[in-house]
């Protein structure tokens, strides 16, 4: 009984001890915040990664791809059984994207994917990452009039109106440049009285063109077919084959002077771009084709956004010559599978690998976890290391408690003697300090728990506030995949953090308590 | 007709060791404390009075010799028995009061009850304990200061609270180690009157340690301590006390 009374009195009167558990409080709060943010992060990331990648992916490394995907699918169906709920075939080739931006050639290495929007959406998230609300519902490779990303002012004009504006502008400039050139030439002739322009003059004439707002690509750079669009067709009214670009392949994001995020688009829906990719023939040639950007793809995963470009599957197959001219069977390079929830993906993968052994087939069969393994395990490792570090901090706080408790035991020596003179046992006296440690642990970690939870709850407001005061962006959406800090609080984590902290506080009080119990009553009573 | 003996010490020896030098403090002490009397133990400062009292209260162990409480040997009794003996059978008062500074007067008085009883039985007899503690505070005339902390009280008041605490568990014997040693004469007199009154009205047995001959003179029996030995100076006729028990 007296131990509880004395504990509470010590707790109330000895603020030094409370100071010593502030580190426990902070440690617990930090642990909770870190764990919530990390698990929010990894859950969100899992979801995204899993959404972006299909459950199982079979990639064929041969340039010609795997012939007869239907036969493959039948075989796969046989292996997977009822677990298979969806599949999609696609063609994926490395390609170079060429964007003509104010006369400058911008080249990007991309992964050109030919897909069927409907089946592709059934195995992984695709449509929902497109900018146009209609395309999000059902993706199409036709350029839409307007209404791309209503919340982005840079894309306000995107669509047919942008295309028409651009074409008419190009034509106007073309005309102007042509006129000017003619004028210059005439002037030249008049001044020199020469009929043949010298090399010098030509250079001067070129310089007079000024920065070229090139209406088209330099033809020398690109031999070969120039898209399917016939010269007779008016670009004002018609489009090339549609292409959906990953948003980072054709835009840069940066901050202006006010710290606002700003995007600059090299190409936006309505513009024409050029794709260069190998054909499927055994003697590989580069195909060079023009496409019209019909939408942009923004998944938030920079790795995807900066490398993907999507076109229609049948068009790509045709362009690459992946259709057997005799049988009409089309080849694909990738088969993606969606499996029922809870299926053991690794088992399916291994079964498929057995059926298509790598010695015979140049196939790479992977689950989405295999694909994103390094990233997922990096996050897991980071969480583990942070937990260990923070628990070490709490352990350090434990030594603080130890020191404080030794001081209190010394300070209370006479009282300990008195208690023993009144008949208290060594166990009873030591339990005062153990209980004291327990209570301190509870108070400290309880305060930490509340503080941590409040912090987690208001984490985005706090980040904003910090930004306001320091001018430093705490959570940079240009770096991370999310605009807000995601958090998930696991009750289990809370419990073990609390238990750990309380256990450390109790452990730290064991030694001082033992010392108090062992104290000789007479020496304690005589203690000055 | 001599009253029965409550506490007996036989051949107690105690020496302190420091750096291989032996400091003998008690060199064979025999002592009897009789029921219902005030027994005084006088001696110069440093003569070993407190050491003897600690042995009698089982706060320390003698090098040699025995201590009997109502005929039972207690100096080598198990820890639990000794804890219970200190808690229940005797009350101790110190020169420096030794109140617990975090507790109020009434809580200090309640402390022995809290220590002696489990949480459960303490809660069961909570009101009873409280009534007894209030009665004890009233007995020493400090009921109106029940809520006060030791630091808010004078020396004499603290000593009276200490007396009330010692009486809480209704002990048979009160061991008082220079209870007036830290007080002025007047306040000391008050404390002594209180102790005498307790002896008269409640028939309490008191062993009072003092260095003051005058105080010792007013006791029923007086023992003097010198050079680690003890002898009776006054009161109670010669009886082989050992015979009354051991036989
Ligand atoms: N822990 C100790 N170590 C060494 N000597 C001690 C110790 N405690 C007491 N003494 C010595 O024992 C003697 C008796 O002390 P004490 O019993 O307190 O005397 P009194 O109470 O009669 O004044 C003193 O000389 C003191 O110095
Ligand atoms: Mg003394």
């Amino acid at each position: 009984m007296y131990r509880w009374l004395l504990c509470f009195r010590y707790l109330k009167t000895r603020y030094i001890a409370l100071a010593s558990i502030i580190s426990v409080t902070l440690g617990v709060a930090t642990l909770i915040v870190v764990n919530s943010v990390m698990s929010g992060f990894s859950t969100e990331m899992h979801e995204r990664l899993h959404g972006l990648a299909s459950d199982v992916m079979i990639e064929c490394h041969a340039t010609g791809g795997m012939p007869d995907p239907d036969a493959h699918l039948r075989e796969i169906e046989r292996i997977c059984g009822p677990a298979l709920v969806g599949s999609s075939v696609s063609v994926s080739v490395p390609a170079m994207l060429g964007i003509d931006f104010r006369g400058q050639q911008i080249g990007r290495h991309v992964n050109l994917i030919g897909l069927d929007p409907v089946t592709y959406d059934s195995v992984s998230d695709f449509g929902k990452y497109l900018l146009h609300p209609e395309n999000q519902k059902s993706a199409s490779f036709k350029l839409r009039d307007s209404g791309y990303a209503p919340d982005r002012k840079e894309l306000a004009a995107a669509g047919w109106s942008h295309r028409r504006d651009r074409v008419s502008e190009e034509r106007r400039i073309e005309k102007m440049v042509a006129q000017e050139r003619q004028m210059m030439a005439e002037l030249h002739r008049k001044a020199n009285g020469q009929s043949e322009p010298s090399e010098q003059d030509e250079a001067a004439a070129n310089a007079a063109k000024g920065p070229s707002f090139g209406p088209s690509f330099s033809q020398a750079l690109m031999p070969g077919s120039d898209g399917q669009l016939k010269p007779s067709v008016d670009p004002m009214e018609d489009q090339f084959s549609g292409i959906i670009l990953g948003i980072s392949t054709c835009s840069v994001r940066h901050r202006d002077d006010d710290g606002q995020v700003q995007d600059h688009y090299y190409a936006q829906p309505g513009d024409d771009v050029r794709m260069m990719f190998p054909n499927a023939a055994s003697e590989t040639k580069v195909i060079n084709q023009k496409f019209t950007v019909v939408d942009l793809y923004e998944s938030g995963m920079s790795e995807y956004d900066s490398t993907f470009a999507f076109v229609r599957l049948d068009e790509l197959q045709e362009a690459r010559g992946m259709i057997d001219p005799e049988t009409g069977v089309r080849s694909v390079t990738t088969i993606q599978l969606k499996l029922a929830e809870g299926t053991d993906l690794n088992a399916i993968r291994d079964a498929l690998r057995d059926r298509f052994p790598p010695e015979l087939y140049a196939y790479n069969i992977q689950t989405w976890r295999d694909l994103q393994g390094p990233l997922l395990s990096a996050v897991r490792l980071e969480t583990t290391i942070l937990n260990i570090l923070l628990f070490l901090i709490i352990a350090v706080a434990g030594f603080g408690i130890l020191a404080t408790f030794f001081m209190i035991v010394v300070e209370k020596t006479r009282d300990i003697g008195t208690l023993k003179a009144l008949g208290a046992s060594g166990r009873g006296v030591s339990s005062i300090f153990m209980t004291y440690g327990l209570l301190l642990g509870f108070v400290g970690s309880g305060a930490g728990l509340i503080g941590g939870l409040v912090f987690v709850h208001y984490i985005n407001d706090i980040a904003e506030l910090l930004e306001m005061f320091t001018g430093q962006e705490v959570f940079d959406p240009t770096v991370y995949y999310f605009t807000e800090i995601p958090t998930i609080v696991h009750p289990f984590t809370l419990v073990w953090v609390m238990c750990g902290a309380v256990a450390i506080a109790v452990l730290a009080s064991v030694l001082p308590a033992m010392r108090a119990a062992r104290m000789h009553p007479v020496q304690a009573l005589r203690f000055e | 007709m001599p009253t029965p003996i409550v506490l007996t010490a036989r051949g107690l020896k105690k020496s302190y060791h420091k750096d291989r030098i032996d400091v003998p403090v008690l060199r064979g002490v025999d002592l009897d404390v009789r029921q219902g009397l005030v027994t005084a133990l006088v001696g110069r400062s440093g003569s070993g009075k407190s050491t003897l009292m600690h042995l009698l209260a089982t706060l320390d162990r003698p090098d040699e010799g025995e201590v009997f409480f109502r005929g039972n040997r207690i100096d080598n009794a198990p820890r639990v028995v000794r804890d219970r003996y200190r808690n229940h059978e005797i009350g101790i008062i110190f020169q420096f009061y030794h109140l617990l500074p975090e507790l109020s007067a009434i809580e200090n008085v309640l402390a022995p009850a809290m220590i002696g009883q489990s949480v459960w039985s303490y809660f069961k007899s909570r009101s009873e304990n409280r009534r007894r503690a209030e009665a004890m505070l009233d007995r020493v005339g400090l009921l109106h200061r029940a809520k006060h902390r030791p630091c808010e009280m004078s020396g004499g008041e603290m000593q009276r609270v200490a007396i009330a605490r010692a009486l809480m568990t209704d002990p048979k014997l009160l061991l008082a180690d220079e209870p007036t040693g830290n007080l002025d004469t007047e306040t000391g007199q008050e404390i002594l009157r209180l102790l005498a009154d307790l002896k008269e009205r409640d028939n309490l047995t008191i062993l009072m340690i003092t260095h003051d001959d005058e105080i010792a003179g007013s006791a029923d029996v007086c023992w003097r301590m010198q050079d680690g030995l003890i002898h009776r100076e006054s009161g109670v006729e010669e009886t082989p006390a050992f015979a009354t028990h051991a036989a």
Side-chain angles (χ1 to χ4, degrees):
Chain A
M1 177 63 214
Y2 62 104
R3 67 191 72 141
W4 290 100
L5 183 64
L6 282 174
C7 273
F8 278 111
R9 286 298 150 82
Y10 288 172
L11 207 57
K12 260 170 66 180
T13 52
R14 236 139 286 265
Y15 294 113
I16 177 89
L18 284 179
S20 81
I21 58 151
I22 285 177
S23 35
V24 174
T25 305
L26 290 179
V28 168
T30 322
L31 257 176
I32 288 171
V33 171
V34 163
N35 273 305
S36 307
V37 170
M38 286 309 258
S39 80
F41 236 89
S42 64
T43 307
E44 193 100 334
M45 208 131 93
H46 254 84
E47 249 162 49
R48 263 176 203 238
L49 291 177
H50 193 187
L52 286 166
S54 55
D55 291 330
V56 174
M57 192 174 204
I58 304 166
E59 287 172 296
C60 175
H61 286 161
T63 40
M66 51 179 108
D68 202 1
D70 288 336
H72 275 86
L73 275 174
R74 273 196 298 281
E75 194 59 27
I76 290 164
E77 221 163 309
R78 191 180 61 77
I79 292 166
C80 299
L84 186 70
V85 294
S87 64
S88 171
V89 293
S90 53
V91 172
S92 156
V93 281
M96 180 157 120
L97 168 69
I99 302 171
D100 175 51
F101 181 65
R102 311 202 171 188
Q104 302 159 69
Q105 280 300 310
I106 294 170
R108 297 294 294 260
H109 156 241
V110 297
N111 196 0
L112 183 63
I113 295 173
L115 56 78
D116 170 35
V118 181
T119 61
Y120 201 82
D121 231 1
S122 74
V123 295
S124 62
D125 295 336
F126 170 67
K128 76 179 209 190
Y129 293 127
L130 301 181
L131 292 189
H132 199 283
E134 288 299 316
N135 281 347
Q136 286 172 10
K137 279 185 219 137
S138 72
S140 126
F141 284 96
K142 286 259 163 282
L143 184 62
R144 299 196 185 255
D145 282 337
S146 61
Y148 288 91
D151 51 342
R152 272 172 229 245
K153 60 178 187 327
E154 297 95 338
L155 292 179
W160 271 113
S161 52
H162 172 71
R163 184 175 180 80
R164 293 197 183 103
D165 285 354
R166 186 181 53 87
V167 171
S168 60
E169 178 74 6
E170 273 167 11
R171 286 187 179 161
R172 193 174 62 74
I173 291 168
E174 211 173 342
K175 220 155 83 189
M176 236 164 65
V177 171
Q179 274 173 0
E180 198 160 322
R181 206 180 298 164
Q182 216 174 348
M183 236 161 64
M184 287 295 284
E186 236 156 79
L187 273 174
H188 219 83
R189 250 200 311 279
K190 272 183 201 155
N192 293 348
Q194 279 175 350
S195 52
E196 297 271 321
S198 71
E199 253 175 67
Q200 247 181 338
D201 302 330
E202 197 155 9
N206 278 337
K209 283 194 226 169
S212 69
F213 291 80
S216 60
F217 289 84
S218 155
Q219 295 303 312
L221 188 72
M222 310 180 183
S225 67
D226 198 27
Q228 270 92 0
L229 210 62
K230 285 156 201 82
S232 59
V233 174
D234 184 5
M236 291 286 257
E237 300 302 332
D238 214 342
Q239 68 166 87
F240 296 98
S241 300
I243 188 169
I244 295 168
L245 292 178
I247 195 154
S248 305
T249 60
C250 61
S251 74
V252 283
R253 172 167 281 196
H254 70 98
R255 282 171 192 289
D256 62 14
D257 296 338
D258 304 330
Q260 290 314 91
V261 175
Q262 265 195 328
D263 296 313
H264 283 281
Y265 295 90
Y266 300 135
Q268 46 178 292
D271 285 328
D272 292 339
V273 295
R274 195 167 274 283
M275 270 292 172
M276 285 147 274
F277 51 92
N279 68 0
S282 50
E283 258 179 59
T284 309
K285 290 213 173 61
V286 172
I287 297 167
N288 184 340
Q289 191 173 332
K290 252 182 159 181
F291 289 92
T292 299
V293 179
V294 295
D295 206 341
L296 300 177
Y297 169 88
E298 185 177 33
S299 65
M301 287 282 301
S302 65
E303 184 198 336
Y304 288 21
D305 291 346
S306 64
T307 55
F308 279 173
F310 303 96
V311 296
R312 273 173 55 174
L313 174 62
D314 49 350
E315 284 178 359
L316 188 60
Q317 279 171 329
E318 249 166 74
R320 291 195 68 219
M322 294 176 88
I323 307 167
D324 192 320
E326 281 156 37
T327 58
V329 172
R330 292 163 180 260
S331 302
V332 299
T333 63
T334 311
I335 300 178
Q336 284 171 296
L337 306 178
K338 182 166 185 64
L339 296 158
E341 197 104 351
T343 313
D344 184 356
L345 298 182
N346 289 352
I348 296 279
R349 175 198 60 196
D350 294 340
L352 288 172
R353 277 186 188 168
D354 279 348
R355 175 63 189 81
F356 304 107
E359 297 86 49
L360 299 181
Y361 297 86
Y363 294 173
N364 187 15
I365 304 170
Q366 284 179 308
T367 66
W368 71 275
R369 270 179 220 282
D370 297 337
L371 276 169
Q372 296 297 345
L375 189 55
L376 296 180
S377 66
V379 170
R380 211 170 316 130
L381 181 73
E382 218 166 297
T383 314
T384 314
I385 287 176
L386 274 171
N387 270 314
I388 292 171
L389 285 181
L390 288 169
F391 251 99
L392 280 181
I393 287 178
I394 298 183
V396 170
F399 281 100
I401 295 178
L402 189 82
T404 316
F405 269 40
F406 262 119
M407 263 171 53
I408 292 176
V409 167
V410 169
E411 191 197 325
K412 291 276 140 212
T413 301
R414 273 170 63 133
D415 292 0
I416 291 166
T418 309
L419 286 168
K420 288 191 168 171
L422 293 175
S425 62
R427 286 247 310 275
V429 170
S430 72
S431 73
I432 294 177
F433 293 94
M434 302 275 281
T435 316
Y436 193 18
L438 187 76
L439 282 181
L440 276 183
F442 265 119
V443 170
S445 54
L449 177 74
I450 293 167
L453 288 181
V454 168
F455 195 100
V456 167
H457 191 254
Y458 293 107
I459 191 159
N460 284 303
D461 305 71
I462 291 170
E464 232 168 78
L465 212 73
L466 275 179
E467 265 161 48
M468 231 168 67
F469 280 116
T470 60
Q472 271 270 324
E473 184 118 27
V474 179
F475 188 79
D476 193 341
T478 58
V479 176
Y480 297 100
Y481 304 134
F482 323 110
T483 46
E484 281 211 326
I485 307 174
T487 54
I488 291 180
V489 178
H490 289 298
F492 179 70
T493 314
L494 299 187
V495 170
W496 77 256
V497 165
M498 286 287 282
C499 289
V502 170
I504 284 176
V506 171
L507 277 181
S509 63
V510 165
L511 277 181
M514 262 164 52
R515 194 194 140 122
R518 293 245 182 86
M519 216 170 254
H520 196 285
V522 170
Q523 273 157 24
L525 282 169
R526 286 189 195 260
F527 183 81
E528 297 298 319
Chain B
M1 160 84 199
T3 51
I5 293 173
V6 180
L7 191 69
T8 309
R10 284 290 171 266
L12 288 183
K13 288 187 184 169
K14 179 81 184 172
S15 48
Y16 292 109
H17 317 273
K18 193 93 193 195
D19 299 336
R20 268 181 270 138
I21 300 171
D22 258 12
V23 186
V25 181
L26 304 178
R27 301 197 267 183
V29 169
D30 298 320
L31 173 76
D32 295 315
V33 177
R34 285 183 182 274
Q35 169 97 55
L37 300 181
V38 174
T39 306
L41 182 65
V42 269
R44 298 220 331 258
S45 178
S47 58
K49 307 181 295 295
S50 296
T51 306
L52 176 58
M53 195 209 78
H54 292 147
L55 294 182
L56 297 177
T58 68
L59 287 168
D60 208 349
R61 289 186 166 209
D63 298 338
E64 268 175 53
E66 293 145 356
V67 179
F68 298 91
F69 178 73
R70 294 169 139 187
N72 301 316
R73 190 165 172 195
I74 47 152
D75 61 293
N76 61 356
R79 204 180 280 271
V80 188
V81 174
R82 284 183 283 137
D83 286 341
R84 176 126 198 106
Y85 164 73
R86 285 199 298 272
N87 184 251
H88 249 71
E89 312 291 357
I90 64 170
I92 310 176
I93 311 170
F94 301 95
Q95 179 179 354
F96 297 105
Y97 333 121
H98 286 317
L99 297 178
L100 299 173
E102 278 84 12
L103 305 184
S104 66
I106 186 108
E107 285 163 346
N108 264 294
V109 176
L110 276 165
M114 293 191 222
I115 290 170
Q117 300 169 0
S118 66
V119 175
W120 175 240
S121 66
Y122 178 82
F123 261 102
K124 253 190 349 205
S125 49
R126 188 165 71 252
S127 55
E128 201 179 302
N129 282 327
R130 192 143 195 107
R131 237 176 294 126
R132 167 128 187 112
E134 278 168 4
M136 287 305 109
L137 270 183
D138 200 25
R139 186 78 180 78
V140 299
L142 278 177
L143 187 53
H144 60 291
R145 307 289 302 269
K147 290 263 152 56
H148 288 215
R149 290 281 179 87
C151 57
E152 296 158 338
M153 288 190 269
S154 73
E157 285 161 345
M158 281 196 266
Q159 193 60 289
R160 284 195 274 165
V161 172
I163 292 170
R165 178 177 71 181
L167 297 176
M168 178 66 195
T169 51
D170 195 16
K172 316 290 175 299
L173 173 67
L174 195 65
L175 300 178
D177 188 356
E178 309 207 28
T180 61
N182 211 33
L183 301 171
D184 57 280
T185 326
E186 198 123 325
T187 321
Q189 286 300 324
E190 269 175 39
I191 296 293
L192 289 174
R193 268 202 297 282
L194 176 62
L195 289 175
D197 190 51
L198 284 168
K199 176 227 160 191
E200 281 307 317
R201 291 196 8 216
D202 302 344
N203 196 30
L204 195 68
T205 311
I206 300 171
L207 172 65
M208 183 150 63
I209 290 163
T210 177
H211 60 262
D212 190 330
D213 289 331
E214 203 176 311
I215 296 170
S218 65
D220 301 317
V221 189
C222 177
W223 297 74
R224 180 166 294 277
M225 198 149 191
Q226 217 159 17
D227 301 328
L229 292 169
I230 197 171
H231 60 89
R232 186 160 53 222
E233 266 199 348
S234 68
V236 187
E237 78 298 358
E238 208 76 39
T239 335
F242 201 67
T244 35
H245 303 289

